[in-house]
PDB file of all heavy atoms in Angstrom:
ATOM      1  N   ILE A 318      31.431  21.469  42.796  1.00  0.00           N
ATOM      2  CA  ILE A 318      31.527  22.379  43.908  1.00  0.00           C
ATOM      3  C   ILE A 318      30.932  21.802  45.142  1.00  0.00           C
ATOM      4  O   ILE A 318      29.701  21.482  45.122  1.00  0.00           O
ATOM      5  CB  ILE A 318      30.903  23.769  43.562  1.00  0.00           C
ATOM      6  CG1 ILE A 318      31.686  24.346  42.412  1.00  0.00           C
ATOM      7  CG2 ILE A 318      30.823  24.670  44.800  1.00  0.00           C
ATOM      8  CD1 ILE A 318      31.110  25.618  41.897  1.00  0.00           C
ATOM      9  N   THR A 319      31.626  21.460  46.106  1.00  0.00           N
ATOM     10  CA  THR A 319      31.179  20.807  47.294  1.00  0.00           C
ATOM     11  C   THR A 319      31.288  21.725  48.528  1.00  0.00           C
ATOM     12  O   THR A 319      32.456  22.207  48.674  1.00  0.00           O
ATOM     13  CB  THR A 319      31.955  19.473  47.505  1.00  0.00           C
ATOM     14  OG1 THR A 319      31.857  18.675  46.460  1.00  0.00           O
ATOM     15  CG2 THR A 319      31.401  18.697  48.623  1.00  0.00           C
ATOM     16  N   THR A 320      30.308  21.938  49.204  1.00  0.00           N
ATOM     17  CA  THR A 320      30.359  22.779  50.324  1.00  0.00           C
ATOM     18  C   THR A 320      29.653  22.084  51.472  1.00  0.00           C
ATOM     19  O   THR A 320      28.825  21.270  51.261  1.00  0.00           O
ATOM     20  CB  THR A 320      29.790  24.091  50.167  1.00  0.00           C
ATOM     21  OG1 THR A 320      28.471  24.032  49.856  1.00  0.00           O
ATOM     22  CG2 THR A 320      30.416  24.914  49.091  1.00  0.00           C
ATOM     23  N   GLN A 321      30.033  22.520  52.629  1.00  0.00           N
ATOM     24  CA  GLN A 321      29.378  21.955  53.821  1.00  0.00           C
ATOM     25  C   GLN A 321      29.052  23.101  54.731  1.00  0.00           C
ATOM     26  O   GLN A 321      29.853  24.003  54.987  1.00  0.00           O
ATOM     27  CB  GLN A 321      30.209  20.968  54.595  1.00  0.00           C
ATOM     28  CG  GLN A 321      29.495  20.417  55.832  1.00  0.00           C
ATOM     29  CD  GLN A 321      30.163  19.122  56.227  1.00  0.00           C
ATOM     30  OE1 GLN A 321      31.210  18.736  55.852  1.00  0.00           O
ATOM     31  NE2 GLN A 321      29.414  18.448  57.124  1.00  0.00           N
ATOM     32  N   SER A 322      27.801  23.042  55.309  1.00  0.00           N
ATOM     33  CA  SER A 322      27.507  24.233  56.209  1.00  0.00           C
ATOM     34  C   SER A 322      26.647  23.610  57.402  1.00  0.00           C
ATOM     35  O   SER A 322      26.036  22.601  57.305  1.00  0.00           O
ATOM     36  CB  SER A 322      26.613  25.199  55.443  1.00  0.00           C
ATOM     37  OG  SER A 322      25.317  24.732  55.276  1.00  0.00           O
ATOM     38  N   THR A 323      26.875  24.235  58.495  1.00  0.00           N
ATOM     39  CA  THR A 323      26.256  23.712  59.697  1.00  0.00           C
ATOM     40  C   THR A 323      25.401  24.873  60.263  1.00  0.00           C
ATOM     41  O   THR A 323      25.882  25.978  60.438  1.00  0.00           O
ATOM     42  CB  THR A 323      27.339  23.320  60.763  1.00  0.00           C
ATOM     43  OG1 THR A 323      28.052  22.346  60.189  1.00  0.00           O
ATOM     44  CG2 THR A 323      26.601  22.802  62.042  1.00  0.00           C
ATOM     45  N   THR A 324      24.085  24.616  60.537  1.00  0.00           N
ATOM     46  CA  THR A 324      23.245  25.572  61.000  1.00  0.00           C
ATOM     47  C   THR A 324      22.698  25.210  62.407  1.00  0.00           C
ATOM     48  O   THR A 324      22.326  24.042  62.535  1.00  0.00           O
ATOM     49  CB  THR A 324      22.071  25.613  60.082  1.00  0.00           C
ATOM     50  OG1 THR A 324      22.505  25.981  58.714  1.00  0.00           O
ATOM     51  CG2 THR A 324      21.154  26.931  60.520  1.00  0.00           C
ATOM     52  N   THR A 325      22.826  25.985  63.307  1.00  0.00           N
ATOM     53  CA  THR A 325      22.334  25.631  64.615  1.00  0.00           C
ATOM     54  C   THR A 325      21.321  26.645  64.995  1.00  0.00           C
ATOM     55  O   THR A 325      21.441  27.870  65.015  1.00  0.00           O
ATOM     56  CB  THR A 325      23.475  25.691  65.681  1.00  0.00           C
ATOM     57  OG1 THR A 325      24.420  24.841  65.263  1.00  0.00           O
ATOM     58  CG2 THR A 325      22.918  25.192  67.077  1.00  0.00           C
ATOM     59  N   LYS A 326      20.065  26.165  65.418  1.00  0.00           N
ATOM     60  CA  LYS A 326      18.983  27.049  65.760  1.00  0.00           C
ATOM     61  C   LYS A 326      18.518  26.677  67.148  1.00  0.00           C
ATOM     62  O   LYS A 326      18.361  25.587  67.540  1.00  0.00           O
ATOM     63  CB  LYS A 326      17.811  26.840  64.815  1.00  0.00           C
ATOM     64  CG  LYS A 326      17.929  27.665  63.553  1.00  0.00           C
ATOM     65  CD  LYS A 326      16.679  27.614  62.796  1.00  0.00           C
ATOM     66  CE  LYS A 326      16.508  26.325  62.134  1.00  0.00           C
ATOM     67  NZ  LYS A 326      15.422  26.351  61.110  1.00  0.00           N
ATOM     68  N   THR A 327      18.386  27.673  68.009  1.00  0.00           N
ATOM     69  CA  THR A 327      17.822  27.414  69.293  1.00  0.00           C
ATOM     70  C   THR A 327      16.454  28.172  69.466  1.00  0.00           C
ATOM     71  O   THR A 327      16.409  29.422  69.283  1.00  0.00           O
ATOM     72  CB  THR A 327      18.809  27.939  70.419  1.00  0.00           C
ATOM     73  OG1 THR A 327      20.077  27.289  70.126  1.00  0.00           O
ATOM     74  CG2 THR A 327      18.407  27.614  71.766  1.00  0.00           C
ATOM     75  N   THR A 328      15.461  27.386  69.675  1.00  0.00           N
ATOM     76  CA  THR A 328      14.070  28.079  69.625  1.00  0.00           C
ATOM     77  C   THR A 328      13.552  28.366  70.990  1.00  0.00           C
ATOM     78  O   THR A 328      12.756  29.341  71.207  1.00  0.00           O
ATOM     79  CB  THR A 328      13.133  27.197  68.864  1.00  0.00           C
ATOM     80  OG1 THR A 328      13.200  25.860  69.500  1.00  0.00           O
ATOM     81  CG2 THR A 328      13.425  27.127  67.399  1.00  0.00           C
ATOM     82  N   THR A 329      13.953  27.672  72.063  1.00  0.00           N
ATOM     83  CA  THR A 329      13.516  28.025  73.349  1.00  0.00           C
ATOM     84  C   THR A 329      14.715  27.804  74.250  1.00  0.00           C
ATOM     85  O   THR A 329      15.600  27.086  74.035  1.00  0.00           O
ATOM     86  CB  THR A 329      12.341  27.090  73.747  1.00  0.00           C
ATOM     87  OG1 THR A 329      12.750  25.802  73.745  1.00  0.00           O
ATOM     88  CG2 THR A 329      11.085  27.442  73.034  1.00  0.00           C
ATOM     89  N   PRO A 330      14.578  28.418  75.504  1.00  0.00           N
ATOM     90  CA  PRO A 330      15.537  28.041  76.475  1.00  0.00           C
ATOM     91  C   PRO A 330      15.565  26.616  76.839  1.00  0.00           C
ATOM     92  O   PRO A 330      14.524  25.958  76.829  1.00  0.00           O
ATOM     93  CB  PRO A 330      15.094  28.857  77.797  1.00  0.00           C
ATOM     94  CG  PRO A 330      14.123  29.881  77.219  1.00  0.00           C
ATOM     95  CD  PRO A 330      13.599  29.374  75.997  1.00  0.00           C
ATOM     96  N   LEU A 331      16.660  25.972  77.054  1.00  0.00           N
ATOM     97  CA  LEU A 331      16.761  24.561  77.133  1.00  0.00           C
ATOM     98  C   LEU A 331      17.301  23.975  78.348  1.00  0.00           C
ATOM     99  O   LEU A 331      18.090  24.633  79.140  1.00  0.00           O
ATOM    100  CB  LEU A 331      17.910  24.261  76.114  1.00  0.00           C
ATOM    101  CG  LEU A 331      17.534  24.400  74.665  1.00  0.00           C
ATOM    102  CD1 LEU A 331      18.744  24.088  73.921  1.00  0.00           C
ATOM    103  CD2 LEU A 331      16.372  23.656  74.243  1.00  0.00           C
ATOM    104  N   THR A 332      16.745  22.863  78.805  1.00  0.00           N
ATOM    105  CA  THR A 332      17.459  22.100  79.678  1.00  0.00           C
ATOM    106  C   THR A 332      17.944  20.835  79.076  1.00  0.00           C
ATOM    107  O   THR A 332      19.005  20.269  79.490  1.00  0.00           O
ATOM    108  CB  THR A 332      16.474  21.731  80.868  1.00  0.00           C
ATOM    109  OG1 THR A 332      15.312  21.150  80.293  1.00  0.00           O
ATOM    110  CG2 THR A 332      16.217  23.031  81.676  1.00  0.00           C
ATOM    111  N   THR A 333      17.288  20.495  77.945  1.00  0.00           N
ATOM    112  CA  THR A 333      17.842  19.366  77.245  1.00  0.00           C
ATOM    113  C   THR A 333      18.067  19.691  75.742  1.00  0.00           C
ATOM    114  O   THR A 333      17.493  20.662  75.316  1.00  0.00           O
ATOM    115  CB  THR A 333      16.839  18.170  77.293  1.00  0.00           C
ATOM    116  OG1 THR A 333      15.582  18.665  76.827  1.00  0.00           O
ATOM    117  CG2 THR A 333      16.644  17.615  78.700  1.00  0.00           C
ATOM    118  N   THR A 334      18.851  18.895  75.105  1.00  0.00           N
ATOM    119  CA  THR A 334      19.117  19.211  73.723  1.00  0.00           C
ATOM    120  C   THR A 334      18.580  18.092  72.872  1.00  0.00           C
ATOM    121  O   THR A 334      18.857  16.829  73.157  1.00  0.00           O
ATOM    122  CB  THR A 334      20.714  19.387  73.431  1.00  0.00           C
ATOM    123  OG1 THR A 334      21.055  20.399  74.294  1.00  0.00           O
ATOM    124  CG2 THR A 334      21.023  19.659  72.050  1.00  0.00           C
ATOM    125  N   ARG A 335      17.835  18.381  71.817  1.00  0.00           N
ATOM    126  CA  ARG A 335      17.343  17.329  70.893  1.00  0.00           C
ATOM    127  C   ARG A 335      18.052  17.611  69.629  1.00  0.00           C
ATOM    128  O   ARG A 335      18.244  18.718  69.215  1.00  0.00           O
ATOM    129  CB  ARG A 335      15.968  17.481  70.757  1.00  0.00           C
ATOM    130  CG  ARG A 335      15.229  16.254  70.114  1.00  0.00           C
ATOM    131  CD  ARG A 335      13.807  16.559  70.039  1.00  0.00           C
ATOM    132  NE  ARG A 335      13.430  17.785  69.414  1.00  0.00           N
ATOM    133  CZ  ARG A 335      12.257  18.144  68.933  1.00  0.00           C
ATOM    134  NH1 ARG A 335      11.290  17.226  68.999  1.00  0.00           N
ATOM    135  NH2 ARG A 335      12.073  19.179  68.296  1.00  0.00           N
ATOM    136  N   SER A 336      18.563  16.549  68.933  1.00  0.00           N
ATOM    137  CA  SER A 336      19.152  16.874  67.679  1.00  0.00           C
ATOM    138  C   SER A 336      18.679  15.913  66.583  1.00  0.00           C
ATOM    139  O   SER A 336      18.064  14.861  66.856  1.00  0.00           O
ATOM    140  CB  SER A 336      20.706  16.717  67.820  1.00  0.00           C
ATOM    141  OG  SER A 336      20.920  15.417  67.979  1.00  0.00           O
ATOM    142  N   THR A 337      18.793  16.333  65.377  1.00  0.00           N
ATOM    143  CA  THR A 337      18.535  15.670  64.040  1.00  0.00           C
ATOM    144  C   THR A 337      17.115  15.408  63.807  1.00  0.00           C
ATOM    145  O   THR A 337      16.677  15.264  62.662  1.00  0.00           O
ATOM    146  CB  THR A 337      19.364  14.454  63.903  1.00  0.00           C
ATOM    147  OG1 THR A 337      18.975  13.384  64.894  1.00  0.00           O
ATOM    148  CG2 THR A 337      20.813  14.678  63.998  1.00  0.00           C
ATOM    149  N   THR A 338      16.312  15.238  64.794  1.00  0.00           N
ATOM    150  CA  THR A 338      14.863  14.933  64.489  1.00  0.00           C
ATOM    151  C   THR A 338      13.960  16.059  64.683  1.00  0.00           C
ATOM    152  O   THR A 338      14.014  16.716  65.751  1.00  0.00           O
ATOM    153  CB  THR A 338      14.406  13.666  65.385  1.00  0.00           C
ATOM    154  OG1 THR A 338      15.301  12.597  65.147  1.00  0.00           O
ATOM    155  CG2 THR A 338      12.947  13.370  65.124  1.00  0.00           C
ATOM    156  N   THR A 339      13.106  16.427  63.700  1.00  0.00           N
ATOM    157  CA  THR A 339      12.220  17.591  63.814  1.00  0.00           C
ATOM    158  C   THR A 339      10.872  17.069  63.775  1.00  0.00           C
ATOM    159  O   THR A 339      10.427  16.493  62.730  1.00  0.00           O
ATOM    160  CB  THR A 339      12.527  18.506  62.581  1.00  0.00           C
ATOM    161  OG1 THR A 339      13.897  18.802  62.592  1.00  0.00           O
ATOM    162  CG2 THR A 339      11.724  19.726  62.768  1.00  0.00           C
ATOM    163  N   GLY A 340      10.158  17.352  64.803  1.00  0.00           N
ATOM    164  CA  GLY A 340       8.777  17.056  64.778  1.00  0.00           C
ATOM    165  C   GLY A 340       8.477  15.568  64.465  1.00  0.00           C
ATOM    166  O   GLY A 340       7.321  15.209  64.275  1.00  0.00           O
TER     167      GLY A 340
END
Side-chain angles (χ1 to χ4, degrees):
I318 294 174
T319 303
T320 59
Q321 179 158 14
S322 69
T323 302
T324 306
T325 304
K326 280 190 281 193
T327 304
T328 50
T329 55
L331 293 176
T332 50
T333 56
T334 301
R335 194 177 56 161
S336 68
T337 64
T338 301
T339 305

